[in-house]
Amino acid sequence: MSRYLIRRLLIAVPSLLGISLVLFTMLALAPGDPFGELATNPAIPPSVQASLRLKFGLDDPIPVRYLHWLTAMAHGDWGFSFVSRMDVDKLILQRLPTTIGVIGASQIVALLIALPVGVYAATRPYSIFDQIASTFALMGFSLPPFFTGLVFILVFSVGLNWFPFVFRSDLSASGLAWWWEEFKQCLMPITVLATFQAATWTRFVRSAVLDVIRLDYVTTARSKGLPESGVVLKHIVRNALIPVVTLIALQLPIVFSGAIVTEQIFRVPGIGSLLISAILANDTPVIMGVTFVFACLVVLFNLMADLIYGWLDPRISYR
Amino acid sequence: MAGSTPASPTVDAAVVVVPPKTRARQVTPWTDAWRRFRRHRLAVVSSVVLLAMILAVAFGPLLWRVQINDIDFTAMLQTPSRAHPLGTDDLGQDLLARMLYGGRISLAVGLAAMAVSVVVGTLVGAVAGISRGSVDAALMWLTDLFLSLPPLPVLLLIIYLFRDTLKTLVGPELGIFVLIVAAIGAFRWMITARLVRAQFFALREKEFVEAARALGASTFRVVVRHILPNALGPVIVAGTIDVAAAIITESTLSFLGLGFPPDIPTWGRILFDAKDVLDSAPHWALFAGGAIFLTVLAINFIGDGLRDALDPRRVM
């Protein structure tokens, strides 16, 4: 198991390097000195400018700059946000738990919807339930998160006044009341993200189960007289989940898009809304940092998908 | 086995009967596909809806001759009326005119970005699929790398870095259009590339390809005349979905305030402007969001129908 894990970790390193290369190339190709905004500021004397250019290495050839940037990133020196007046890595670390919490919770909710609905629909193909579920799934993934979010605010905050539509990180309540308030303000962002995911995954689960359900080994299991629930859960679902895990891992980068939008709508103080505000404020170090963190998260979740894959399908693990 | 299951559950199950074999007309693959597409009723309805929307945004501005930037402070945030069928926004501008204009941009972005991603994806997939060894490995590494980049953050980064240059280069409107189309296309080609490559792997050892090669056809001719036409089915399906995804991406960018500038009212931009007065003028946001939803839904249903028609084996 640990060898498999180490192998996977080693495979993740080149992709992280590739991502950093792509990001840095874009930064280097861009016109102007995105890192050198300070160095071109007329209020700063030329001698300071020169030393700053030297410090940031703006006059070095691009490969050298890439290596400098990479070693600095690896050392945890992610730059300084001139807008927020603090180190980028601290800023991101402050915001990261909120984002991971919202994304994680919505993924779990989406899975809790998609798995039963997808399996139930696929075990009764073309039934009324299947048709309704599939139509709803298609509608769900045609609904962009920003529109669902606005409709939710319109119905539940403006209309019914059930939930607050601005996320507050400074809730005054404490103890159980704090949890209740936190739950109330998290509910809408999580639901918006989960709706979209659940719709996509229901289709994945349904088609994966349909692929497996007519295989001979399932017929064998049935003809042995096993109860239907056992056949479905132990024989069908476990094998159907293998491609589903792959598809979910492939979908993850898209989840982050939804998370950024959701955070922006509900003003959740995560790294998604940090990215938007950094772009509006021309805060390049933060933009680079957040983009890189998102890329790292994708690689991390892919790694987790690989591990789950190995657990689901013993044939391919520990190789 | 699993292959005999039509991909979509909304297909009319009762009509799945083998058609009479005795036909006077010749049955080409396309008439066959059309026959299968017609069976998916929601896809047919969606085609009509989409066609109506395309006609509306193409010819609507010719019939509804209100300017998109006619400011009228006496008619701010009005609900739908005879003078303004979809109401007005916070500057008293007519929403119907703005929606029609924005629809042109949104649909154009969707189609253009799809074209970019299909061309790039087919090219990469075809080159990877026909050449073995290191070229294939390198291209697939690139594909995997792009697949593991989070698209929206990177798109935002690209727009942040390059928007000013392109604006000065080709003008504000065309510049942002080119940038958004290229950027969306650049992050949607990977699925197409993988599909094309997989198709090439399956097709290039087939007998008819062998025969063409034996007759002395060049590699280029084999690819263009023999393999590519047979690999197109999944590409068309993926391309359809790409249009929907591109429309959503463009709306998302505009909704975040980082897409088209305020004087170009795309549907996402209208939604962005509307979200601050959601409580007093909900119609403003609902029309724009509804238009995006309806278009994307129609395209996705068409994609579903096309999948049944062109790619019946792939159940996904």
Side-chain angles (χ1 to χ4, degrees), chain B:
Chain B
M1 302 270 287
S4 59
T5 311
S8 146
T10 33
V11 65
D12 201 347
V15 207
V16 187
V17 220
V18 183
K21 284 273 161 59
T22 48
R23 271 217 187 159
R25 281 189 303 125
Q26 188 195 2
V27 180
T28 67
W30 291 109
T31 50
D32 204 36
W34 169 240
R35 189 178 52 77
R36 272 186 302 230
F37 182 77
R38 262 184 333 194
R39 204 183 288 148
H40 195 308
R41 274 170 302 171
L42 279 168
V44 176
V45 173
S46 298
S47 313
V48 175
V49 169
L50 189 68
L51 201 67
M53 289 193 111
I54 291 174
L55 289 178
V57 300
F59 299 109
L62 301 177
L63 300 173
W64 183 252
R65 292 184 160 280
V66 181
Q67 289 299 308
I68 58 162
N69 47 8
D70 265 351
I71 294 176
D72 178 5
F73 287 115
T74 60
M76 290 191 311
L77 293 176
Q78 279 189 353
T79 44
S81 64
R82 190 182 289 262
H84 303 286
L86 297 185
T88 56
D89 64 8
D90 58 345
L91 295 175
Q93 305 175 103
D94 181 60
L95 273 181
L96 178 60
R98 290 177 80 79
M99 292 280 298
L100 288 175
Y101 182 87
R104 281 186 174 182
I105 309 266
S106 294
L107 287 174
V109 167
L111 290 173
M114 179 271 283
V116 171
S117 76
V118 164
V119 168
V120 174
T122 309
L123 210 63
V124 171
V127 171
I130 201 69
S131 56
R132 295 145 214 254
S134 54
V135 177
D136 176 35
L139 283 176
M140 279 305 110
W141 183 78
L142 191 72
T143 311
D144 285 344
L145 180 66
F146 267 81
L147 271 176
S148 64
L149 283 172
L152 190 59
V154 178
L155 267 180
L156 292 172
L157 183 69
I158 294 177
I159 288 173
Y160 165 69
L161 290 174
F162 292 97
R163 74 185 149 189
D164 292 331
T165 334
L166 269 171
K167 254 186 216 167
T168 49
L169 218 62
V170 281
E173 284 158 29
L174 191 64
I176 203 88
F177 183 84
V178 168
L179 181 61
I180 286 183
V181 165
I184 295 177
F187 285 93
R188 296 285 319 174
W189 58 267
M190 296 84 74
I191 304 281
T192 314
R194 282 191 158 191
L195 284 174
V196 171
R197 176 174 172 268
Q199 290 278 314
F200 266 59
F201 273 17
L203 289 171
R204 76 178 182 200
E205 312 298 343
K206 285 268 164 71
E207 287 82 358
F208 69 93
V209 176
E210 202 93 340
R213 227 187 277 275
L215 286 169
S218 64
T219 308
F220 182 76
R221 191 181 158 81
V222 167
V223 168
V224 173
R225 281 292 295 163
H226 298 279
I227 302 186
L228 210 49
N230 286 298
L232 272 186
V235 175
I236 294 174
V237 177
T240 317
I241 307 295
D242 275 353
V243 178
I247 290 177
I248 288 197
T249 311
E250 180 275 317
S251 310
T252 306
L253 291 175
S254 297
F255 177 78
L256 294 172
L258 297 162
F260 284 91
D263 52 331
I264 305 177
T266 69
W267 289 340
R269 182 76 213 188
I270 296 176
L271 209 52
F272 171 74
D273 293 331
K275 73 176 195 299
D276 295 327
V277 287
L278 206 55
D279 45 348
S280 56
H283 67 275
W284 189 5
L286 287 181
F287 281 130
I292 299 172
F293 172 54
L294 197 62
T295 313
V296 171
L297 185 67
I299 295 174
N300 279 337
F301 268 127
I302 293 172
D304 217 36
L306 283 176
R307 180 169 296 150
D308 283 352
L310 299 172
D311 188 17
R313 277 178 314 113
R314 217 172 124 252
V315 184
M316 190 178 109

Side-chain angles (χ1 to χ4, degrees), chain A residues 17-18 22 37 110 114 192 229 235 308:
Chain A
L17 281 179
V22 170
E37 205 136 275
V192 166
S229 61
H235 291 81
I308 298 173

Side-chain angles (χ1 to χ4, degrees), chain A residues 8-24:
Chain A
R8 287 287 144 193
L9 275 174
L10 285 180
I11 292 175
V13 171
S15 45
L16 271 182
L17 281 179
I19 289 167
S20 72
L21 192 64
V22 170
L23 290 185
F24 189 83

Side-chain angles (χ1 to χ4, degrees), chain A residues 71-122:
Chain A
T71 39
M73 292 289 275
H75 281 119
D77 175 13
W78 288 30
F80 185 80
S81 163
F82 296 109
V83 178
S84 311
R85 305 214 164 272
M86 64 190 298
D87 285 337
V88 174
D89 49 335
K90 284 207 191 94
L91 191 63
I92 291 177
L93 274 182
Q94 262 181 15
R95 303 283 201 105
L96 195 58
T98 319
T99 300
I100 296 203
V102 170
I103 291 181
S106 65
Q107 305 284 293
I108 291 170
V109 172
L111 212 58
L112 288 180
I113 299 171
L115 261 185
V117 173
V119 171
Y120 193 84

Side-chain angles (χ1 to χ4, degrees), chain A residues 122-194:
Chain A
T123 46
R124 290 156 189 76
Y126 311 113
S127 63
I128 301 283
F129 178 85
D130 183 29
Q131 300 212 8
I132 293 175
S134 299
T135 310
F136 266 98
L138 204 85
M139 286 171 79
F141 93 31
S142 304
L143 265 175
F146 52 84
F147 185 48
T148 337
L150 288 187
V151 171
F152 270 44
I153 290 181
L154 200 60
V155 174
F156 295 112
S157 294
V158 178
L160 296 169
N161 205 8
W162 283 358
F163 308 112
F165 61 86
V166 175
F167 194 95
R168 289 174 52 193
S169 44
D170 55 339
L171 291 171
S172 52
S174 61
L176 218 57
W178 183 86
W179 281 105
W180 174 239
E181 289 294 313
E182 185 78 6
F183 171 74
K184 261 170 61 176
Q185 68 178 3
C186 283
L187 200 60
M188 282 207 298
I190 290 174
T191 317
V192 166
L193 260 182

